[in-house]
Amino acid sequence: MNSVALAVTDGMLHFELSLACEVFGADLSHLVDPWYEFALCGPGPVRVGRFRMEPDSGLDGLAAADLVIVPGWADIDVDPPADLVDAVRAAHEAGARVASLCTGAFVLAAAGLLDGRRATTHWAHTRALADRHPRVEVDPDVLYVDNGSVLTSAGKAAAMDLCLHLVRLDHGSAVANTIARRLVVPPHRAGGQAQFVPAPVPDQDDHPLTRLFPWAIERLDRALTVEDMARRANMSSRHLGRHFRAVTGTTPLQWLLTQRIRRAQELLETTGDGIDAIAQATGMGTAASLRRHFNRTIGVPPDTYRRTFRTSRAAAGRPGSS
C-alpha cells in the first residue's frame, strides 16, 4: 500500500489541501484495493482559512510516508515555518516522493529540494519564486513538473492535474480517468498554464476549437493532418496553429499525438488487443511507430506499461500479442 502524508500548518490554502484530501483521502478501495493509506501531519491543531484541523500525527510523520504533499502556502512574502521545511527535507532524504501544489513550491524551494531542478508554481508567483530562489529553474508555462522524486504544480486547478498524474503513475490511466469522471474534471489537460494567464482569448462556447476537439478525438484511428483539422475549423493551417498555441499552449500535431498516446494507454490497460491493433486504433499506423512514440512520451515500452497497469477488466478481455 502506498502511504500519503499531507503536510498541514497554519497558513495553508484550503482549496489545494481539499483537492489532495479528495483524491488520496477518500475511500476508493472499490477501484484499487488497497487504496492509499492517508494521514494529515502537522505541528498540532492548525487553522486553514476559516477551518480548524486536527492532524493525525506530528510533522515527523512525513518521513514515514511514500508520498508527501505540500499544499499551497498563503503568504509567500514570509518564510515558511522552519519545522515544516525541515520535515519536508527529512521526508525526501528518507526516500519519499515530495509534491507541492500551487505555492507549496516555496516550501520545497526553502528546503533546497528544487535547487538545480525545473519547477513551477502559480503563474502569478513564478517571478517571485525565481527571484527568491535563483538556483531553481522556474518554468511559468506548464501545469506541473515531474522530476521523479520531486514534483510541483501550477495554481489551483493544476493541483488536481498533478494529483491525477500521481494516481496515473501509481495505478494507471483507467483508474485516474475514473476518478476524473467522478470529480467531473478532465483526466488530462493538454498545454500549459500560459493559456490561463489573462489574455484576449475568445469565449470558449464560440471558439472553433471547442467543436474541433471532440471531432478529432472521435477520429483518432485516422491519419489526421493539420490541413484536415484546419478545414474542419474553417480556417487556414497557420491560423489554426495560432489558435492552438493560445488555447492549449501547444501545436495541433503535438496535441493530437497526446490524445493518441492517452487512447493507447487506455486500450493497453482495458483490452487484450495486440500492439498492432492498438496502433491502428490510435492512428499510429504500425506497432513500431506506436512503440517509438509511446516510449518517448511515457518512458516505457507499451508492453511494459501493459504488464504494470493491466486492470482486471483487461485480464478478462480478448487475448492478444504484445
Side-chain angles (χ1 to χ4, degrees):
M1 175 185 292
N2 286 336
S3 58
V4 177
L6 185 61
V8 292
T9 65
D10 291 335
M12 291 292 187
L13 297 174
H14 61 81
F15 181 80
E16 289 80 357
L17 187 151
S18 299
L19 290 182
C21 288
E22 186 64 30
V23 172
F24 300 103
D27 181 9
L28 299 179
S29 55
H30 61 287
L31 296 178
V32 177
D33 190 13
W35 188 240
Y36 295 96
E37 180 181 310
F38 182 77
L40 299 178
C41 298
V46 299
R47 184 162 293 279
V48 179
R50 295 185 178 183
F51 306 102
R52 187 175 182 276
M53 305 185 71
E54 187 75 38
D56 300 302
S57 69
L59 286 171
D60 55 354
L62 297 180
D66 298 308
L67 169 64
V68 171
I69 297 180
V70 182
W73 181 248
D75 191 353
I76 65 167
D77 293 326
V78 300
D79 293 334
D83 56 349
L84 172 63
V85 172
D86 291 343
V88 168
R89 184 188 302 114
H92 184 257
E93 291 174 350
R97 287 180 297 171
V98 178
S100 66
L101 308 180
C102 192
T103 50
F106 284 82
V107 178
L108 271 59
L113 302 189
L114 302 183
D115 288 353
R117 287 188 167 105
R118 183 165 155 262
T120 195
T121 188
H122 191 291
W123 61 264
H125 304 298
T126 52
R127 174 54 59 188
L129 182 63
D131 289 345
R132 192 172 308 168
H133 300 280
R135 296 182 63 186
V136 180
E137 182 186 341
V138 180
D139 189 337
D141 297 327
V142 294
L143 295 176
Y144 58 83
V145 176
D146 182 349
N147 287 301
S149 64
V150 179
L151 305 92
T152 54
S153 86
K156 301 303 178 184
M160 179 60 76
D161 291 306
L162 179 54
C163 288
L164 291 174
H165 172 68
L166 287 163
V167 172
R168 191 177 298 115
L169 289 176
D170 293 339
H171 300 297
S173 289
V175 172
N177 292 350
T178 299
I179 295 174
R181 286 193 294 271
R182 171 178 171 269
L183 298 176
V184 199
V185 297
H188 174 79
R189 292 190 294 166
Q193 63 173 323
Q195 61 190 292
F196 303 106
V197 178
V201 177
D203 183 83
Q204 291 300 303
D205 289 339
D206 300 325
H207 200 282
L209 298 191
T210 302
R211 296 183 296 275
L212 180 63
F213 288 158
W215 178 87
I217 289 174
E218 290 173 1
R219 293 163 174 78
L220 291 179
D221 59 331
R222 307 181 190 181
L224 294 176
T225 65
V226 174
E227 289 72 22
D228 293 331
M229 298 170 73
R231 279 195 297 270
R232 178 66 184 182
N234 196 27
M235 63 179 69
S236 69
S237 298
R238 180 174 296 180
H239 196 194
L240 179 72
R242 286 197 295 267
H243 275 301
F244 256 86
R245 182 63 68 181
V247 174
T248 73
T250 189
T251 66
L253 285 181
Q254 186 57 50
W255 177 87
L256 194 59
L257 177 60
T258 298
Q259 308 315 309
R260 297 189 193 282
I261 295 295
R262 297 298 176 193
R263 177 68 59 80
Q265 287 179 286
E266 293 185 14
L267 293 175
L268 287 166
E269 295 172 28
T270 60
T271 76
D273 293 348
I275 301 302
D276 285 310
I278 292 176
Q280 291 293 324
T282 57
M284 297 286 190
T286 66
S289 178
L290 171 60
R291 286 190 172 94
R292 182 174 68 255
H293 288 296
F294 196 95
N295 199 7
R296 185 175 62 188
T297 304
I298 305 301
V300 296
D303 316 71
T304 302
Y305 184 89
R306 165 170 273 167
R307 286 193 296 270
T308 303
F309 292 119
R310 184 78 173 268
T311 64
S312 58
R313 182 169 59 164
R318 298 185 304 275
S321 60
S322 58

